Amino acid sequence: MKLSTPEFRAMQSLPRRLGQRFFEMPMFRQMGLDLQNKDVLEIGCGSGYGAHLLNQLQPKSYIGLDVMTEQVELARKKYPQFKFLIQDAEDLSQFENESKDVIIIFGVLHHIPNWRKAIDEITRVLKPNGSLFLEEPRGVDIKVFDAFFRWGHPNTDFGLNALDEYLAKGLKSSTRDGLRC
Ligand SMILES: C[S@@+](CC[C@H](N)C(=O)[O-])C[C@H]1O[C@@H](n2cnc3c(N)ncnc32)[C@H](O)[C@@H]1O
């Protein structure tokens, strides 16, 4: 789902960049993220800063996708060296089965009404020994941001426990995040 204007602005801010760089990337690294010679797909790439960070780990290929045209236009403008697609994560049909080594998500599933469909698609696209690295906020964090900053997250049944359960059922190989997911 498209971001509200306040959240869209916040996603372009320095604190968001710092969070991605000094918290989420180190957490993924600590969990074993290694992209050398890997085919990488980033879901919900936003305005592309993740591509910049992930590229430092020398993947064989990188594609970032996002459902929001404004985000992808910004990403293409800032980082023309990377490939970005306007695409809903619920439909990854343009990617072949078992074609990606690593799929990365920086805080996106809680925006997707049918987030289980997105996970099904990720499972299909990951290679048998592939890995999913993801970071998502807790329900309480989502409520705080909505109450204080009017970010207006979609009303879905997304939650870390539900996510955990669904991943345990579906993923061939999963790496779960350190925020308690
Ligand atoms: C909280 S922002 C995070 C953006 C970026 N990953 C970051 O960390 O700055 C969530 C992103 O997910 C994207 N998004 C929401 N629903 C989506 C969907 N169904 N498919 C793909 N991207 C989606 C939004 O457009 C937005 O860019």
Side-chain angles (χ1 to χ4, degrees), residues 117-147:
K117 178 99 194 311
I119 290 177
D120 291 346
E121 278 292 80
I122 287 167
T123 306
R124 181 185 64 74
V125 166
L126 269 178
K127 289 182 184 173
N129 289 322
S131 302
L132 167 65
F133 285 80
L134 69 93
E135 171 274 322
E136 292 291 336
R138 297 172 305 172
V140 62
D141 301 322
I142 295 174
K143 284 199 176 79
V144 166
F145 279 104
D146 284 347

Short mmCIF file of all heavy atoms in Angstrom, two decimals, residues 117-147:
data_model
loop_
_atom_site.label_atom_id
_atom_site.label_comp_id
_atom_site.label_asym_id
_atom_site.label_seq_id
_atom_site.Cartn_x
_atom_site.Cartn_y
_atom_site.Cartn_z
N LYS A 117 0.50 -13.48 1.11
CA LYS A 117 0.68 -13.73 -0.33
C LYS A 117 2.09 -13.32 -0.74
O LYS A 117 2.75 -14.02 -1.54
CB LYS A 117 -0.37 -12.90 -1.09
CG LYS A 117 -0.32 -13.01 -2.58
CD LYS A 117 -1.37 -14.00 -3.09
CE LYS A 117 -1.15 -14.41 -4.53
NZ LYS A 117 -0.92 -13.32 -5.47
N ALA A 118 2.57 -12.20 -0.19
CA ALA A 118 3.93 -11.75 -0.50
C ALA A 118 4.94 -12.79 -0.02
O ALA A 118 5.91 -13.10 -0.73
CB ALA A 118 4.19 -10.39 0.15
N ILE A 119 4.72 -13.35 1.15
CA ILE A 119 5.65 -14.37 1.65
C ILE A 119 5.60 -15.63 0.78
O ILE A 119 6.63 -16.24 0.50
CB ILE A 119 5.35 -14.70 3.14
CG1 ILE A 119 5.76 -13.49 3.98
CG2 ILE A 119 6.12 -15.94 3.60
CD1 ILE A 119 5.47 -13.62 5.44
N ASP A 120 4.40 -15.98 0.33
CA ASP A 120 4.30 -17.14 -0.58
C ASP A 120 5.13 -16.89 -1.84
O ASP A 120 5.82 -17.78 -2.34
CB ASP A 120 2.84 -17.39 -1.00
CG ASP A 120 1.99 -17.88 0.15
OD1 ASP A 120 2.55 -18.29 1.20
OD2 ASP A 120 0.75 -17.84 0.03
N GLU A 121 5.04 -15.68 -2.36
CA GLU A 121 5.77 -15.34 -3.57
C GLU A 121 7.29 -15.36 -3.31
O GLU A 121 8.07 -15.86 -4.12
CB GLU A 121 5.35 -13.94 -4.06
CG GLU A 121 4.07 -13.96 -4.87
CD GLU A 121 4.28 -14.66 -6.20
OE1 GLU A 121 4.27 -15.91 -6.22
OE2 GLU A 121 4.47 -13.98 -7.22
N ILE A 122 7.68 -14.82 -2.16
CA ILE A 122 9.10 -14.83 -1.79
C ILE A 122 9.61 -16.28 -1.70
O ILE A 122 10.68 -16.61 -2.20
CB ILE A 122 9.28 -14.10 -0.44
CG1 ILE A 122 9.12 -12.60 -0.65
CG2 ILE A 122 10.62 -14.43 0.20
CD1 ILE A 122 8.95 -11.79 0.62
N THR A 123 8.81 -17.12 -1.09
CA THR A 123 9.19 -18.53 -0.95
C THR A 123 9.37 -19.20 -2.31
O THR A 123 10.30 -19.96 -2.52
CB THR A 123 8.10 -19.29 -0.14
OG1 THR A 123 7.91 -18.59 1.08
CG2 THR A 123 8.49 -20.71 0.15
N ARG A 124 8.49 -18.83 -3.22
CA ARG A 124 8.58 -19.41 -4.57
C ARG A 124 9.84 -18.95 -5.29
O ARG A 124 10.52 -19.73 -5.95
CB ARG A 124 7.33 -18.99 -5.38
CG ARG A 124 7.29 -19.54 -6.80
CD ARG A 124 6.11 -19.00 -7.58
NE ARG A 124 6.14 -17.57 -7.79
CZ ARG A 124 6.93 -16.94 -8.65
NH1 ARG A 124 7.80 -17.63 -9.37
NH2 ARG A 124 6.88 -15.63 -8.77
N VAL A 125 10.19 -17.67 -5.11
CA VAL A 125 11.28 -17.08 -5.88
C VAL A 125 12.67 -17.42 -5.28
O VAL A 125 13.66 -17.43 -6.00
CB VAL A 125 11.05 -15.54 -5.95
CG1 VAL A 125 12.27 -14.81 -6.42
CG2 VAL A 125 9.87 -15.24 -6.88
N LEU A 126 12.70 -17.71 -3.98
CA LEU A 126 13.99 -18.03 -3.36
C LEU A 126 14.53 -19.38 -3.85
O LEU A 126 13.77 -20.34 -3.98
CB LEU A 126 13.84 -18.12 -1.84
CG LEU A 126 14.06 -16.86 -1.02
CD1 LEU A 126 13.82 -17.17 0.46
CD2 LEU A 126 15.45 -16.27 -1.21
N LYS A 127 15.85 -19.43 -4.04
CA LYS A 127 16.48 -20.71 -4.37
C LYS A 127 16.36 -21.65 -3.16
O LYS A 127 16.18 -21.17 -2.02
CB LYS A 127 17.95 -20.48 -4.70
CG LYS A 127 18.17 -19.78 -6.02
CD LYS A 127 19.65 -19.62 -6.33
CE LYS A 127 19.84 -18.83 -7.61
NZ LYS A 127 21.25 -18.52 -7.88
N PRO A 128 16.50 -22.96 -3.36
CA PRO A 128 16.34 -23.90 -2.24
C PRO A 128 17.19 -23.55 -1.01
O PRO A 128 16.73 -23.70 0.11
CB PRO A 128 16.75 -25.24 -2.85
CG PRO A 128 16.43 -25.08 -4.30
CD PRO A 128 16.69 -23.64 -4.65
N ASN A 129 18.41 -23.07 -1.21
CA ASN A 129 19.21 -22.70 -0.04
C ASN A 129 19.25 -21.20 0.16
O ASN A 129 20.16 -20.68 0.83
CB ASN A 129 20.64 -23.23 -0.17
CG ASN A 129 20.65 -24.73 -0.03
OD1 ASN A 129 19.90 -25.27 0.80
ND2 ASN A 129 21.44 -25.40 -0.84
N GLY A 130 18.27 -20.51 -0.41
CA GLY A 130 18.25 -19.04 -0.31
C GLY A 130 17.83 -18.58 1.07
O GLY A 130 17.38 -19.36 1.90
N SER A 131 18.01 -17.28 1.31
CA SER A 131 17.69 -16.72 2.62
C SER A 131 16.86 -15.45 2.50
O SER A 131 17.05 -14.66 1.57
CB SER A 131 18.98 -16.34 3.37
OG SER A 131 19.80 -17.44 3.52
N LEU A 132 15.99 -15.30 3.47
CA LEU A 132 15.23 -14.05 3.59
C LEU A 132 15.71 -13.33 4.84
O LEU A 132 15.74 -13.92 5.92
CB LEU A 132 13.73 -14.38 3.74
CG LEU A 132 12.83 -13.23 4.18
CD1 LEU A 132 12.77 -12.13 3.12
CD2 LEU A 132 11.43 -13.74 4.49
N PHE A 133 16.13 -12.09 4.66
CA PHE A 133 16.49 -11.24 5.80
C PHE A 133 15.45 -10.14 5.89
O PHE A 133 15.23 -9.41 4.92
CB PHE A 133 17.88 -10.61 5.60
CG PHE A 133 19.00 -11.58 5.80
CD1 PHE A 133 19.35 -12.47 4.80
CD2 PHE A 133 19.70 -11.61 7.00
CE1 PHE A 133 20.39 -13.38 4.99
CE2 PHE A 133 20.72 -12.53 7.20
CZ PHE A 133 21.07 -13.41 6.18
N LEU A 134 14.80 -10.06 7.04
CA LEU A 134 13.77 -9.04 7.13
C LEU A 134 13.75 -8.38 8.49
O LEU A 134 14.11 -8.99 9.50
CB LEU A 134 12.40 -9.61 6.80
CG LEU A 134 11.72 -10.59 7.73
CD1 LEU A 134 10.80 -9.87 8.69
CD2 LEU A 134 10.93 -11.60 6.93
N GLU A 135 13.32 -7.13 8.46
CA GLU A 135 13.12 -6.35 9.69
C GLU A 135 11.73 -5.76 9.61
O GLU A 135 11.35 -5.22 8.58
CB GLU A 135 14.20 -5.26 9.76
CG GLU A 135 14.00 -4.23 10.85
CD GLU A 135 13.09 -3.09 10.43
OE1 GLU A 135 13.17 -2.66 9.27
OE2 GLU A 135 12.27 -2.65 11.25
N GLU A 136 10.95 -5.94 10.68
CA GLU A 136 9.60 -5.35 10.74
C GLU A 136 9.38 -4.79 12.14
O GLU A 136 9.89 -5.34 13.11
CB GLU A 136 8.53 -6.41 10.45
CG GLU A 136 8.51 -6.95 9.02
CD GLU A 136 8.06 -5.93 7.98
OE1 GLU A 136 7.34 -4.97 8.34
OE2 GLU A 136 8.46 -6.09 6.81
N PRO A 137 8.59 -3.72 12.27
CA PRO A 137 8.32 -3.17 13.60
C PRO A 137 7.32 -4.01 14.38
O PRO A 137 6.53 -4.76 13.79
CB PRO A 137 7.72 -1.80 13.29
CG PRO A 137 7.11 -1.97 11.94
CD PRO A 137 7.95 -2.97 11.20
N ARG A 138 7.36 -3.85 15.70
CA ARG A 138 6.35 -4.50 16.55
C ARG A 138 5.04 -3.74 16.43
O ARG A 138 5.02 -2.55 16.07
CB ARG A 138 6.81 -4.46 18.01
CG ARG A 138 8.09 -5.24 18.25
CD ARG A 138 8.58 -5.00 19.66
NE ARG A 138 8.74 -3.58 19.92
CZ ARG A 138 9.00 -3.04 21.11
NH1 ARG A 138 9.13 -3.82 22.16
NH2 ARG A 138 9.13 -1.74 21.25
N GLY A 139 3.95 -4.41 16.75
CA GLY A 139 2.62 -3.78 16.70
C GLY A 139 2.57 -2.50 17.53
O GLY A 139 1.97 -1.50 17.12
N VAL A 140 3.22 -2.54 18.69
CA VAL A 140 3.18 -1.37 19.58
C VAL A 140 3.88 -0.17 18.92
O VAL A 140 3.44 0.98 19.05
CB VAL A 140 3.79 -1.72 20.97
CG1 VAL A 140 5.25 -2.11 20.86
CG2 VAL A 140 3.64 -0.55 21.93
N ASP A 141 4.95 -0.44 18.18
CA ASP A 141 5.66 0.66 17.50
C ASP A 141 4.77 1.27 16.42
O ASP A 141 4.72 2.49 16.24
CB ASP A 141 6.95 0.14 16.85
CG ASP A 141 7.88 -0.48 17.88
OD1 ASP A 141 7.96 0.06 18.99
OD2 ASP A 141 8.51 -1.51 17.56
N ILE A 142 4.05 0.41 15.71
CA ILE A 142 3.16 0.90 14.65
C ILE A 142 2.09 1.80 15.27
O ILE A 142 1.80 2.90 14.76
CB ILE A 142 2.52 -0.29 13.90
CG1 ILE A 142 3.60 -1.09 13.17
CG2 ILE A 142 1.46 0.19 12.91
CD1 ILE A 142 3.13 -2.37 12.51
N LYS A 143 1.55 1.37 16.41
CA LYS A 143 0.50 2.17 17.08
C LYS A 143 1.05 3.52 17.52
O LYS A 143 0.39 4.56 17.38
CB LYS A 143 -0.04 1.41 18.28
CG LYS A 143 -0.97 0.28 17.91
CD LYS A 143 -1.83 -0.13 19.11
CE LYS A 143 -2.83 -1.20 18.73
NZ LYS A 143 -2.26 -2.54 18.63
N VAL A 144 2.27 3.53 18.06
CA VAL A 144 2.88 4.78 18.53
C VAL A 144 3.07 5.74 17.35
O VAL A 144 2.72 6.92 17.43
CB VAL A 144 4.24 4.49 19.23
CG1 VAL A 144 5.04 5.76 19.41
CG2 VAL A 144 3.99 3.82 20.57
N PHE A 145 3.61 5.24 16.26
CA PHE A 145 3.82 6.13 15.11
C PHE A 145 2.50 6.66 14.55
O PHE A 145 2.40 7.82 14.15
CB PHE A 145 4.63 5.41 14.01
CG PHE A 145 6.10 5.41 14.30
CD1 PHE A 145 6.75 4.27 14.76
CD2 PHE A 145 6.84 6.57 14.15
CE1 PHE A 145 8.10 4.29 15.06
CE2 PHE A 145 8.20 6.60 14.44
CZ PHE A 145 8.83 5.45 14.90
N ASP A 146 1.47 5.81 14.56
CA ASP A 146 0.17 6.27 14.06
C ASP A 146 -0.44 7.32 14.98
O ASP A 146 -1.00 8.32 14.53
CB ASP A 146 -0.78 5.09 13.87
CG ASP A 146 -0.44 4.29 12.62
OD1 ASP A 146 0.35 4.80 11.80
OD2 ASP A 146 -0.93 3.17 12.47
N ALA A 147 -0.29 7.10 16.30
CA ALA A 147 -0.89 8.01 17.27
C ALA A 147 -0.17 9.37 17.27
O ALA A 147 -0.81 10.43 17.27
CB ALA A 147 -0.85 7.40 18.67
#
